[in-house]
Amino acid sequence: MPELPEVEIHARNLRAWLVGRRIERVEVLDPKLLDDPGPLPLETAAGQRVEAVRRDAKYLFLDLEGGVTLVAHLRMTGRFVRDAYVAGPYPKFSRLALYLDSGEVVRFEDRRRFGRAWLVPAGEERSLPELRELGPDALLQPISVERLTEAAGKTRRPIKVLLMDQTLLGGLGNICVIEVLYRARIAPERPANSLTPEELRRLAEGIPLFLEWAIEAQSRRELIYLGEKGAENVFTIYRREGTPCPTCGGAIVYTTLGGRGTYACPSCQS
DNA sequence: CTTATCCCCTGCCGGC
DNA sequence: TGCCGGCAGGGGATAA
């Protein structure tokens, strides 16, 4: 269930696998992937060489030589994998297959089928309705204290909900926000307009630092999403209800906020 | 306009 | 063991 760090790791993998390779054939294995259709049929990508792979927020972009870009979002359970070509049925949950001139296949797997892909003319990815209001990338264009202060001052929404709003800044999801708020010692339910200048400064500075850390931490082994077999929880408080806070030793508590599971240390975060 | 709730899907886990 | 509710790191649509 990827957020910016996991999507960034995907971008690095895809860059190594795809740049300079030609996509010989495109096979859409689950039409649900195209439920919200883009301007061009995905199969148009066939025969084209991959020039670059980019990431913006939680979106991936494959720039192809023919002046088109394949845009993908992993949603909750999507992932790209690479295999040597073998004949026979696809592994379960395969939604898209890109056959490469190297004899390899890059597949998109997605258990819950929320993932989406679109093909757009180069430079026009922002014309997709979903990307039209997307805010600046949380890592590549870190939010300034001034902009965060301005946005926070305008709303009583909990700060956790505000930070997950992709129109303010793109890339943070449930885990990132939980961990960033813990590091900044701010309670998730605090109304955004109640934060002090010092707290807003800690937050703005802490976001890119956490993202860098999370990318590094999760690059160290194979990327397996939490909840799947073999997953390792590298995070400090996420999914650690009842375990001792590493700072004060008190118990981490679980609540819900905006319909999402939330973890916090009530004595360290206020 | 903002904010809260529901929905899309499927698998897994814990409790009974 | 079997069933069932609850939950899951996404975002959009809809209702208030």
Side-chain angles (χ1 to χ4, degrees), chain A residues 151-152 154-168 188-195:
Chain A
K154 283 194 297 197
T155 181
R156 294 188 44 79
R157 295 158 85 196
I159 185 61
K160 179 184 182 230
V161 174
L162 179 68
L163 292 176
M164 288 179 68
D165 183 342
Q166 303 295 297
T167 66
L168 175 63
E189 69 275 11
R190 281 273 297 284
N193 64 2
S194 76
L195 267 63

PDB file of all heavy atoms in Angstrom, chain A residues 151-152 154-168 188-195, chain B residues 2-4:
ATOM      1  N   ALA A 151      -1.828  27.377   4.804  1.00  0.00           N
ATOM      2  CA  ALA A 151      -2.864  26.355   4.623  1.00  0.00           C
ATOM      3  C   ALA A 151      -3.447  25.927   5.963  1.00  0.00           C
ATOM      4  O   ALA A 151      -4.665  25.733   6.096  1.00  0.00           O
ATOM      5  CB  ALA A 151      -2.274  25.149   3.893  1.00  0.00           C
ATOM      6  N   ALA A 152      -2.588  25.759   6.968  1.00  0.00           N
ATOM      7  CA  ALA A 152      -3.059  25.288   8.271  1.00  0.00           C
ATOM      8  C   ALA A 152      -3.953  26.322   8.938  1.00  0.00           C
ATOM      9  O   ALA A 152      -4.931  25.967   9.615  1.00  0.00           O
ATOM     10  CB  ALA A 152      -1.866  24.953   9.171  1.00  0.00           C
ATOM     11  N   LYS A 154      -6.108  28.151   7.734  1.00  0.00           N
ATOM     12  CA  LYS A 154      -7.424  28.319   7.112  1.00  0.00           C
ATOM     13  C   LYS A 154      -8.428  27.251   7.495  1.00  0.00           C
ATOM     14  O   LYS A 154      -9.552  27.270   7.014  1.00  0.00           O
ATOM     15  CB  LYS A 154      -7.273  28.320   5.580  1.00  0.00           C
ATOM     16  CG  LYS A 154      -6.734  29.632   5.046  1.00  0.00           C
ATOM     17  CD  LYS A 154      -6.908  29.732   3.539  1.00  0.00           C
ATOM     18  CE  LYS A 154      -6.118  28.663   2.802  1.00  0.00           C
ATOM     19  NZ  LYS A 154      -5.945  28.991   1.360  1.00  0.00           N
ATOM     20  N   THR A 155      -8.015  26.247   8.307  1.00  0.00           N
ATOM     21  CA  THR A 155      -8.929  25.143   8.548  1.00  0.00           C
ATOM     22  C   THR A 155      -8.796  24.586   9.959  1.00  0.00           C
ATOM     23  O   THR A 155      -7.708  24.628  10.555  1.00  0.00           O
ATOM     24  CB  THR A 155      -8.706  24.007   7.519  1.00  0.00           C
ATOM     25  OG1 THR A 155      -9.635  22.960   7.790  1.00  0.00           O
ATOM     26  CG2 THR A 155      -7.292  23.465   7.572  1.00  0.00           C
ATOM     27  N   ARG A 156      -9.902  24.060  10.460  1.00  0.00           N
ATOM     28  CA  ARG A 156      -9.895  23.367  11.752  1.00  0.00           C
ATOM     29  C   ARG A 156      -9.760  21.861  11.568  1.00  0.00           C
ATOM     30  O   ARG A 156      -9.855  21.106  12.542  1.00  0.00           O
ATOM     31  CB  ARG A 156     -11.213  23.654  12.508  1.00  0.00           C
ATOM     32  CG  ARG A 156     -11.387  25.107  12.935  1.00  0.00           C
ATOM     33  CD  ARG A 156     -12.618  25.246  13.835  1.00  0.00           C
ATOM     34  NE  ARG A 156     -12.697  24.188  14.848  1.00  0.00           N
ATOM     35  CZ  ARG A 156     -11.982  24.172  15.977  1.00  0.00           C
ATOM     36  NH1 ARG A 156     -11.141  25.133  16.223  1.00  0.00           N
ATOM     37  NH2 ARG A 156     -12.128  23.177  16.832  1.00  0.00           N
ATOM     38  N   ARG A 157      -9.611  21.396  10.326  1.00  0.00           N
ATOM     39  CA  ARG A 157      -9.447  19.954  10.127  1.00  0.00           C
ATOM     40  C   ARG A 157      -8.246  19.466  10.921  1.00  0.00           C
ATOM     41  O   ARG A 157      -7.270  20.204  11.094  1.00  0.00           O
ATOM     42  CB  ARG A 157      -9.192  19.641   8.644  1.00  0.00           C
ATOM     43  CG  ARG A 157     -10.350  19.964   7.727  1.00  0.00           C
ATOM     44  CD  ARG A 157      -9.847  20.137   6.322  1.00  0.00           C
ATOM     45  NE  ARG A 157      -9.740  18.874   5.598  1.00  0.00           N
ATOM     46  CZ  ARG A 157      -9.056  18.711   4.476  1.00  0.00           C
ATOM     47  NH1 ARG A 157      -8.412  19.729   3.948  1.00  0.00           N
ATOM     48  NH2 ARG A 157      -9.034  17.561   3.874  1.00  0.00           N
ATOM     49  N   PRO A 158      -8.279  18.212  11.384  1.00  0.00           N
ATOM     50  CA  PRO A 158      -7.111  17.680  12.089  1.00  0.00           C
ATOM     51  C   PRO A 158      -5.873  17.786  11.208  1.00  0.00           C
ATOM     52  O   PRO A 158      -5.950  17.593   9.986  1.00  0.00           O
ATOM     53  CB  PRO A 158      -7.476  16.208  12.332  1.00  0.00           C
ATOM     54  CG  PRO A 158      -8.965  16.150  12.243  1.00  0.00           C
ATOM     55  CD  PRO A 158      -9.372  17.230  11.289  1.00  0.00           C
ATOM     56  N   ILE A 159      -4.744  18.084  11.831  1.00  0.00           N
ATOM     57  CA  ILE A 159      -3.511  18.265  11.052  1.00  0.00           C
ATOM     58  C   ILE A 159      -3.181  17.004  10.253  1.00  0.00           C
ATOM     59  O   ILE A 159      -2.672  17.080   9.138  1.00  0.00           O
ATOM     60  CB  ILE A 159      -2.330  18.678  11.976  1.00  0.00           C
ATOM     61  CG1 ILE A 159      -1.084  18.981  11.157  1.00  0.00           C
ATOM     62  CG2 ILE A 159      -2.043  17.627  13.038  1.00  0.00           C
ATOM     63  CD1 ILE A 159      -1.220  20.123  10.175  1.00  0.00           C
ATOM     64  N   LYS A 160      -3.533  15.838  10.787  1.00  0.00           N
ATOM     65  CA  LYS A 160      -3.248  14.598  10.053  1.00  0.00           C
ATOM     66  C   LYS A 160      -4.012  14.558   8.738  1.00  0.00           C
ATOM     67  O   LYS A 160      -3.479  14.165   7.698  1.00  0.00           O
ATOM     68  CB  LYS A 160      -3.618  13.383  10.902  1.00  0.00           C
ATOM     69  CG  LYS A 160      -3.362  12.076  10.182  1.00  0.00           C
ATOM     70  CD  LYS A 160      -3.800  10.864  10.960  1.00  0.00           C
ATOM     71  CE  LYS A 160      -3.450   9.611  10.184  1.00  0.00           C
ATOM     72  NZ  LYS A 160      -4.574   8.676  10.064  1.00  0.00           N
ATOM     73  N   VAL A 161      -5.279  14.960   8.794  1.00  0.00           N
ATOM     74  CA  VAL A 161      -6.099  14.941   7.585  1.00  0.00           C
ATOM     75  C   VAL A 161      -5.571  15.965   6.579  1.00  0.00           C
ATOM     76  O   VAL A 161      -5.494  15.694   5.383  1.00  0.00           O
ATOM     77  CB  VAL A 161      -7.577  15.215   7.945  1.00  0.00           C
ATOM     78  CG1 VAL A 161      -8.425  15.353   6.696  1.00  0.00           C
ATOM     79  CG2 VAL A 161      -8.119  14.093   8.841  1.00  0.00           C
ATOM     80  N   LEU A 162      -5.167  17.128   7.062  1.00  0.00           N
ATOM     81  CA  LEU A 162      -4.649  18.156   6.159  1.00  0.00           C
ATOM     82  C   LEU A 162      -3.392  17.670   5.432  1.00  0.00           C
ATOM     83  O   LEU A 162      -3.245  17.863   4.223  1.00  0.00           O
ATOM     84  CB  LEU A 162      -4.341  19.441   6.941  1.00  0.00           C
ATOM     85  CG  LEU A 162      -3.775  20.578   6.091  1.00  0.00           C
ATOM     86  CD1 LEU A 162      -4.825  21.103   5.117  1.00  0.00           C
ATOM     87  CD2 LEU A 162      -3.236  21.712   6.954  1.00  0.00           C
ATOM     88  N   LEU A 163      -2.498  17.014   6.157  1.00  0.00           N
ATOM     89  CA  LEU A 163      -1.238  16.568   5.538  1.00  0.00           C
ATOM     90  C   LEU A 163      -1.459  15.466   4.504  1.00  0.00           C
ATOM     91  O   LEU A 163      -0.621  15.240   3.635  1.00  0.00           O
ATOM     92  CB  LEU A 163      -0.264  16.087   6.616  1.00  0.00           C
ATOM     93  CG  LEU A 163       0.285  17.160   7.555  1.00  0.00           C
ATOM     94  CD1 LEU A 163       1.161  16.528   8.624  1.00  0.00           C
ATOM     95  CD2 LEU A 163       1.067  18.222   6.794  1.00  0.00           C
ATOM     96  N   MET A 164      -2.590  14.764   4.624  1.00  0.00           N
ATOM     97  CA  MET A 164      -2.879  13.710   3.650  1.00  0.00           C
ATOM     98  C   MET A 164      -3.596  14.248   2.416  1.00  0.00           C
ATOM     99  O   MET A 164      -3.819  13.508   1.459  1.00  0.00           O
ATOM    100  CB  MET A 164      -3.726  12.609   4.296  1.00  0.00           C
ATOM    101  CG  MET A 164      -2.924  11.765   5.274  1.00  0.00           C
ATOM    102  SD  MET A 164      -3.912  10.505   6.065  1.00  0.00           S
ATOM    103  CE  MET A 164      -4.263   9.417   4.692  1.00  0.00           C
ATOM    104  N   ASP A 165      -3.940  15.516   2.441  1.00  0.00           N
ATOM    105  CA  ASP A 165      -4.635  16.139   1.313  1.00  0.00           C
ATOM    106  C   ASP A 165      -3.643  16.353   0.174  1.00  0.00           C
ATOM    107  O   ASP A 165      -2.718  17.162   0.278  1.00  0.00           O
ATOM    108  CB  ASP A 165      -5.226  17.477   1.782  1.00  0.00           C
ATOM    109  CG  ASP A 165      -6.035  18.149   0.695  1.00  0.00           C
ATOM    110  OD1 ASP A 165      -5.873  17.800  -0.499  1.00  0.00           O
ATOM    111  OD2 ASP A 165      -6.827  19.044   1.028  1.00  0.00           O
ATOM    112  N   GLN A 166      -3.828  15.618  -0.915  1.00  0.00           N
ATOM    113  CA  GLN A 166      -2.852  15.627  -2.006  1.00  0.00           C
ATOM    114  C   GLN A 166      -2.852  16.915  -2.804  1.00  0.00           C
ATOM    115  O   GLN A 166      -1.972  17.120  -3.638  1.00  0.00           O
ATOM    116  CB  GLN A 166      -3.096  14.435  -2.946  1.00  0.00           C
ATOM    117  CG  GLN A 166      -3.058  13.082  -2.243  1.00  0.00           C
ATOM    118  CD  GLN A 166      -1.697  12.737  -1.675  1.00  0.00           C
ATOM    119  OE1 GLN A 166      -0.724  12.596  -2.400  1.00  0.00           O
ATOM    120  NE2 GLN A 166      -1.616  12.610  -0.348  1.00  0.00           N
ATOM    121  N   THR A 167      -3.826  17.784  -2.544  1.00  0.00           N
ATOM    122  CA  THR A 167      -3.791  19.073  -3.247  1.00  0.00           C
ATOM    123  C   THR A 167      -2.882  20.060  -2.525  1.00  0.00           C
ATOM    124  O   THR A 167      -2.411  21.019  -3.122  1.00  0.00           O
ATOM    125  CB  THR A 167      -5.204  19.687  -3.385  1.00  0.00           C
ATOM    126  OG1 THR A 167      -5.705  20.032  -2.088  1.00  0.00           O
ATOM    127  CG2 THR A 167      -6.157  18.706  -4.044  1.00  0.00           C
ATOM    128  N   LEU A 168      -2.606  19.813  -1.245  1.00  0.00           N
ATOM    129  CA  LEU A 168      -1.675  20.671  -0.505  1.00  0.00           C
ATOM    130  C   LEU A 168      -0.241  20.264  -0.811  1.00  0.00           C
ATOM    131  O   LEU A 168       0.601  21.093  -1.151  1.00  0.00           O
ATOM    132  CB  LEU A 168      -1.947  20.595   0.996  1.00  0.00           C
ATOM    133  CG  LEU A 168      -0.960  21.365   1.879  1.00  0.00           C
ATOM    134  CD1 LEU A 168      -1.004  22.859   1.585  1.00  0.00           C
ATOM    135  CD2 LEU A 168      -1.226  21.091   3.348  1.00  0.00           C
ATOM    136  N   PRO A 188      -2.086  13.938  16.281  1.00  0.00           N
ATOM    137  CA  PRO A 188      -2.719  13.912  14.955  1.00  0.00           C
ATOM    138  C   PRO A 188      -4.062  14.639  14.898  1.00  0.00           C
ATOM    139  O   PRO A 188      -4.423  15.177  13.862  1.00  0.00           O
ATOM    140  CB  PRO A 188      -2.918  12.419  14.663  1.00  0.00           C
ATOM    141  CG  PRO A 188      -2.082  11.685  15.654  1.00  0.00           C
ATOM    142  CD  PRO A 188      -1.816  12.583  16.807  1.00  0.00           C
ATOM    143  N   GLU A 189      -4.790  14.635  16.018  1.00  0.00           N
ATOM    144  CA  GLU A 189      -6.143  15.212  15.993  1.00  0.00           C
ATOM    145  C   GLU A 189      -6.161  16.721  16.191  1.00  0.00           C
ATOM    146  O   GLU A 189      -7.217  17.338  16.103  1.00  0.00           O
ATOM    147  CB  GLU A 189      -7.016  14.537  17.061  1.00  0.00           C
ATOM    148  CG  GLU A 189      -6.630  14.855  18.501  1.00  0.00           C
ATOM    149  CD  GLU A 189      -5.525  13.959  19.047  1.00  0.00           C
ATOM    150  OE1 GLU A 189      -4.895  13.220  18.251  1.00  0.00           O
ATOM    151  OE2 GLU A 189      -5.272  14.010  20.275  1.00  0.00           O
ATOM    152  N   ARG A 190      -5.018  17.312  16.434  1.00  0.00           N
ATOM    153  CA  ARG A 190      -4.969  18.765  16.653  1.00  0.00           C
ATOM    154  C   ARG A 190      -5.545  19.514  15.455  1.00  0.00           C
ATOM    155  O   ARG A 190      -5.167  19.267  14.307  1.00  0.00           O
ATOM    156  CB  ARG A 190      -3.524  19.206  16.849  1.00  0.00           C
ATOM    157  CG  ARG A 190      -2.978  18.951  18.239  1.00  0.00           C
ATOM    158  CD  ARG A 190      -3.267  20.095  19.195  1.00  0.00           C
ATOM    159  NE  ARG A 190      -2.633  21.327  18.777  1.00  0.00           N
ATOM    160  CZ  ARG A 190      -1.338  21.617  18.907  1.00  0.00           C
ATOM    161  NH1 ARG A 190      -0.519  20.735  19.447  1.00  0.00           N
ATOM    162  NH2 ARG A 190      -0.865  22.778  18.502  1.00  0.00           N
ATOM    163  N   PRO A 191      -6.470  20.462  15.707  1.00  0.00           N
ATOM    164  CA  PRO A 191      -6.945  21.287  14.591  1.00  0.00           C
ATOM    165  C   PRO A 191      -5.760  22.000  13.937  1.00  0.00           C
ATOM    166  O   PRO A 191      -4.888  22.524  14.640  1.00  0.00           O
ATOM    167  CB  PRO A 191      -7.875  22.297  15.275  1.00  0.00           C
ATOM    168  CG  PRO A 191      -8.262  21.662  16.575  1.00  0.00           C
ATOM    169  CD  PRO A 191      -7.096  20.812  16.982  1.00  0.00           C
ATOM    170  N   ALA A 192      -5.742  21.999  12.620  1.00  0.00           N
ATOM    171  CA  ALA A 192      -4.580  22.555  11.912  1.00  0.00           C
ATOM    172  C   ALA A 192      -4.328  23.997  12.326  1.00  0.00           C
ATOM    173  O   ALA A 192      -3.177  24.408  12.479  1.00  0.00           O
ATOM    174  CB  ALA A 192      -4.798  22.455  10.407  1.00  0.00           C
ATOM    175  N   ASN A 193      -5.401  24.755  12.557  1.00  0.00           N
ATOM    176  CA  ASN A 193      -5.195  26.176  12.854  1.00  0.00           C
ATOM    177  C   ASN A 193      -4.797  26.426  14.304  1.00  0.00           C
ATOM    178  O   ASN A 193      -4.687  27.572  14.724  1.00  0.00           O
ATOM    179  CB  ASN A 193      -6.437  26.993  12.478  1.00  0.00           C
ATOM    180  CG  ASN A 193      -7.645  26.618  13.309  1.00  0.00           C
ATOM    181  OD1 ASN A 193      -7.569  25.766  14.195  1.00  0.00           O
ATOM    182  ND2 ASN A 193      -8.770  27.253  13.021  1.00  0.00           N
ATOM    183  N   SER A 194      -4.554  25.344  15.066  1.00  0.00           N
ATOM    184  CA  SER A 194      -4.101  25.533  16.443  1.00  0.00           C
ATOM    185  C   SER A 194      -2.591  25.332  16.579  1.00  0.00           C
ATOM    186  O   SER A 194      -2.033  25.486  17.660  1.00  0.00           O
ATOM    187  CB  SER A 194      -4.825  24.554  17.373  1.00  0.00           C
ATOM    188  OG  SER A 194      -4.285  23.246  17.236  1.00  0.00           O
ATOM    189  N   LEU A 195      -1.922  24.975  15.485  1.00  0.00           N
ATOM    190  CA  LEU A 195      -0.489  24.710  15.572  1.00  0.00           C
ATOM    191  C   LEU A 195       0.306  26.002  15.754  1.00  0.00           C
ATOM    192  O   LEU A 195      -0.008  27.022  15.138  1.00  0.00           O
ATOM    193  CB  LEU A 195       0.000  23.947  14.328  1.00  0.00           C
ATOM    194  CG  LEU A 195       0.007  22.419  14.480  1.00  0.00           C
ATOM    195  CD1 LEU A 195      -1.397  21.889  14.692  1.00  0.00           C
ATOM    196  CD2 LEU A 195       0.633  21.751  13.270  1.00  0.00           C
TER     197      LEU A 195
ATOM    198  P    DT B   2     -12.696  25.235  -0.241  1.00  0.00           P
ATOM    199  OP1  DT B   2     -11.457  25.899   0.187  1.00  0.00           O
ATOM    200  OP2  DT B   2     -12.676  24.158  -1.242  1.00  0.00           O
ATOM    201  O5'  DT B   2     -13.443  24.669   1.034  1.00  0.00           O
ATOM    202  C5'  DT B   2     -13.587  25.479   2.202  1.00  0.00           C
ATOM    203  C4'  DT B   2     -14.326  24.680   3.255  1.00  0.00           C
ATOM    204  O4'  DT B   2     -15.562  24.195   2.673  1.00  0.00           O
ATOM    205  C3'  DT B   2     -13.566  23.449   3.752  1.00  0.00           C
ATOM    206  O3'  DT B   2     -13.542  23.483   5.163  1.00  0.00           O
ATOM    207  C2'  DT B   2     -14.361  22.258   3.210  1.00  0.00           C
ATOM    208  C1'  DT B   2     -15.760  22.846   3.036  1.00  0.00           C
ATOM    209  N1   DT B   2     -16.584  22.223   1.960  1.00  0.00           N
ATOM    210  C2   DT B   2     -17.759  21.590   2.302  1.00  0.00           C
ATOM    211  O2   DT B   2     -18.141  21.492   3.460  1.00  0.00           O
ATOM    212  N3   DT B   2     -18.454  21.069   1.240  1.00  0.00           N
ATOM    213  C4   DT B   2     -18.112  21.122  -0.097  1.00  0.00           C
ATOM    214  O4   DT B   2     -18.827  20.629  -0.951  1.00  0.00           O
ATOM    215  C5   DT B   2     -16.875  21.802  -0.382  1.00  0.00           C
ATOM    216  C7   DT B   2     -16.407  21.922  -1.797  1.00  0.00           C
ATOM    217  C6   DT B   2     -16.167  22.315   0.638  1.00  0.00           C
ATOM    218  P    DT B   3     -12.571  22.527   5.955  1.00  0.00           P
ATOM    219  OP1  DT B   3     -12.270  23.194   7.234  1.00  0.00           O
ATOM    220  OP2  DT B   3     -11.494  22.112   5.034  1.00  0.00           O
ATOM    221  O5'  DT B   3     -13.467  21.244   6.272  1.00  0.00           O
ATOM    222  C5'  DT B   3     -14.624  21.399   7.089  1.00  0.00           C
ATOM    223  C4'  DT B   3     -15.433  20.134   7.027  1.00  0.00           C
ATOM    224  O4'  DT B   3     -16.006  19.968   5.712  1.00  0.00           O
ATOM    225  C3'  DT B   3     -14.631  18.853   7.298  1.00  0.00           C
ATOM    226  O3'  DT B   3     -15.156  18.266   8.479  1.00  0.00           O
ATOM    227  C2'  DT B   3     -14.852  17.981   6.061  1.00  0.00           C
ATOM    228  C1'  DT B   3     -16.103  18.594   5.448  1.00  0.00           C
ATOM    229  N1   DT B   3     -16.256  18.449   3.974  1.00  0.00           N
ATOM    230  C2   DT B   3     -17.413  17.917   3.479  1.00  0.00           C
ATOM    231  O2   DT B   3     -18.325  17.562   4.196  1.00  0.00           O
ATOM    232  N3   DT B   3     -17.476  17.840   2.114  1.00  0.00           N
ATOM    233  C4   DT B   3     -16.505  18.229   1.210  1.00  0.00           C
ATOM    234  O4   DT B   3     -16.678  18.104   0.006  1.00  0.00           O
ATOM    235  C5   DT B   3     -15.303  18.769   1.790  1.00  0.00           C
ATOM    236  C7   DT B   3     -14.188  19.209   0.908  1.00  0.00           C
ATOM    237  C6   DT B   3     -15.236  18.855   3.132  1.00  0.00           C
ATOM    238  P    DA B   4     -14.643  16.881   9.044  1.00  0.00           P
ATOM    239  OP1  DA B   4     -14.683  16.965  10.511  1.00  0.00           O
ATOM    240  OP2  DA B   4     -13.406  16.543   8.339  1.00  0.00           O
ATOM    241  O5'  DA B   4     -15.788  15.875   8.579  1.00  0.00           O
ATOM    242  C5'  DA B   4     -17.121  16.096   8.994  1.00  0.00           C
ATOM    243  C4'  DA B   4     -18.010  14.981   8.479  1.00  0.00           C
ATOM    244  O4'  DA B   4     -18.111  15.077   7.034  1.00  0.00           O
ATOM    245  C3'  DA B   4     -17.499  13.574   8.782  1.00  0.00           C
ATOM    246  O3'  DA B   4     -18.609  12.775   9.166  1.00  0.00           O
ATOM    247  C2'  DA B   4     -16.887  13.110   7.451  1.00  0.00           C
ATOM    248  C1'  DA B   4     -17.745  13.845   6.437  1.00  0.00           C
ATOM    249  N9   DA B   4     -17.068  14.169   5.183  1.00  0.00           N
ATOM    250  C8   DA B   4     -15.827  14.721   5.028  1.00  0.00           C
ATOM    251  N7   DA B   4     -15.486  14.913   3.774  1.00  0.00           N
ATOM    252  C5   DA B   4     -16.583  14.453   3.052  1.00  0.00           C
ATOM    253  C6   DA B   4     -16.855  14.383   1.674  1.00  0.00           C
ATOM    254  N6   DA B   4     -15.990  14.798   0.732  1.00  0.00           N
ATOM    255  N1   DA B   4     -18.042  13.864   1.289  1.00  0.00           N
ATOM    256  C2   DA B   4     -18.892  13.467   2.237  1.00  0.00           C
ATOM    257  N3   DA B   4     -18.752  13.481   3.560  1.00  0.00           N
ATOM    258  C4   DA B   4     -17.567  13.989   3.913  1.00  0.00           C
TER     259       DA B   4
END
